[in-house]
């Protein structure tokens, strides 16, 4: 069974600074990888996903993520954060022959002025 | 209404009450999901419906009872809940029950069991 670890529970970043959120997965075959964002009072919104091909994936809101098979990682990055990026971020992994997603526990991002 | 809506947004109930959560998707999707989100824990998949048929019951206690009368509506009936059932309950839908189809989430119902 697949699983996800998000090592950072909470990250504080200054507005305009860069952001990187870590995600490590455990899965024997090629994983399907996702990043979701949850703003306060909202449901989860898909930021980006990786199925195959180019290991650097571009998403919405200026986010990107890089799949590194050797490190079993799928870290999320943004070059310059905005106050509206304050939210909770979830990494998830799935298998190509299944429909279930395994989520990490999430990383809360606080943006300071 | 667009996307996935959930009502009520907040619910407080006693352990002996019976209540229902409602989810409606306006996306023409065929698969619907219930998730439980507890603080600082991974989302837990509870139930999955595909074309109105239940295809997943992830060892959920019988005090949670889902109902899917059509592809657009999903209910979660609650009775004799425990305090540890307090959580955010999220509904999601996707066009098909397949990992390659994005799941769209509603805003959730914040449930507090007293």
């Amino acid at each position: 069974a697949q699983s996800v670890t998000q090592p950072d529970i909470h990250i504080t970043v200054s507005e305009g600074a860069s952001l990187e959120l870590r995600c490590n997965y455990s899965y024997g075959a090629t994983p399907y990888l996702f990043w979701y964002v949850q703003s306060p009072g909202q449901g989860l919104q898909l930021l980006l996903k990786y199925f195959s091909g180019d290991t650097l994936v571009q998403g919405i809101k200026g986010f990107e993520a890089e799949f590194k098979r050797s490190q079993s990682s799928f870290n999320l990055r943004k070059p310059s954060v905005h106050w509206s990026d304050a939210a909770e971020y979830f990494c998830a992994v799935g298998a190509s022959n299944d429909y279930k997603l395994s989520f990490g526990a999430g990383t809360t991002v606080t943006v300071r002025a | 209404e667009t996307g996935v809506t959930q009502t009520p947004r907040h619910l407080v109930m006693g352990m002996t009450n019976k209540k229902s959560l409602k989810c409606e998707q306006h996306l023409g999707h065929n698969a619907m999901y219930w998730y439980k989100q507890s603080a600082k824990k991974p989302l837990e998949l509870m139930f999955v419906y595909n074309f109105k048929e239940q295809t997943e019951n992830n060892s959920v206690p019988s005090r949670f009872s889902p109902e899917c009368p059509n592809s657009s509506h999903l209910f979660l009936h609650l009775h004799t809940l425990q305090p540890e059932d307090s959580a955010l309950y999220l509904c999601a839908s996707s066009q098909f029950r397949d990992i390659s189809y994005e799941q769209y989430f509603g805003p959730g119902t914040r449930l507090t069991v007293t």
Side-chain angles (χ1 to χ4, degrees):
Chain A
Q2 58 266 33
S3 66
V4 173
T5 302
Q6 294 182 246
D8 304 304
I9 295 174
H10 191 188
I11 287 180
T12 298
V13 61
S14 297
E15 192 169 15
S18 63
L19 174 69
E20 181 168 14
L21 304 181
R22 296 183 291 165
C23 172
N24 295 102
Y25 67 89
S26 173
Y27 183 59
T30 299
Y32 281 32
L33 294 159
F34 306 79
W35 273 102
Y36 283 85
V37 61
Q38 185 178 32
S39 298
Q42 304 293 317
L44 278 69
Q45 181 185 20
L46 182 66
L47 284 174
L48 48 77
K49 60 188 177 185
Y50 171 80
F51 289 173
S52 64
D54 193 347
T55 57
L56 185 62
V57 181
Q58 301 298 319
I60 62 171
K61 305 186 180 189
F63 285 93
E64 66 178 26
E66 186 172 13
F67 170 57
K68 292 186 177 179
R69 184 187 300 275
S70 62
Q71 298 177 20
S72 297
S73 69
F74 189 57
N75 294 348
L76 181 71
R77 298 192 294 256
K78 185 169 184 177
S80 176
V81 299
H82 186 262
W83 63 266
S84 59
D85 294 321
E88 191 155 19
Y89 293 79
F90 295 92
C91 182
V93 63
S96 59
N97 61 348
D98 199 353
Y99 57 86
K100 299 177 198 174
L101 293 174
S102 294
F103 285 85
T107 298
T108 301
V109 172
T110 298
V111 180
R112 59 182 175 220
Chain B
E1 291 280 15
T2 59
V4 181
T5 58
Q6 292 187 242
T7 54
R9 294 294 306 276
H10 300 271
L11 178 62
V12 179
M13 59 185 290
M15 294 168 62
T16 58
N17 290 160
K18 289 184 179 182
K19 296 286 185 182
S20 295
L21 310 184
K22 179 183 176 182
C23 173
E24 184 173 1
Q25 59 94 359
H26 308 268
L27 301 167
H29 290 168
N30 296 296
M32 297 188 77
Y33 312 76
W34 278 119
Y35 287 90
K36 176 182 180 183
Q37 184 180 18
S38 303
K40 292 308 172 188
K41 292 177 66 177
L43 270 71
E44 300 173 49
L45 180 64
M46 300 175 70
F47 301 104
V48 180
Y49 279 81
N50 193 39
F51 291 91
K52 302 187 297 179
E53 298 296 320
Q54 184 176 321
T55 62
E56 180 82 20
N57 178 340
N58 200 20
S59 302
V60 180
S62 59
R63 57 186 183 269
F64 294 91
S65 174
E67 178 189 2
C68 188
N70 55 62
S71 292
S72 298
H73 294 86
L74 186 64
F75 295 89
L76 189 61
H77 304 298
L78 317 170
H79 64 98
T80 59
L81 294 190
Q82 304 299 310
E84 60 265 29
D85 297 323
S86 297
L88 182 67
Y89 288 85
L90 293 167
C91 174
S93 70
S94 62
Q95 186 169 6
F96 297 108
R97 193 199 61 177
D98 187 279
I99 196 74
S100 59
Y101 290 90
E102 179 180 347
Q103 291 185 28
Y104 290 79
F105 286 79
T109 294
R110 173 69 63 187
L111 174 66
T112 302
V113 181
T114 60

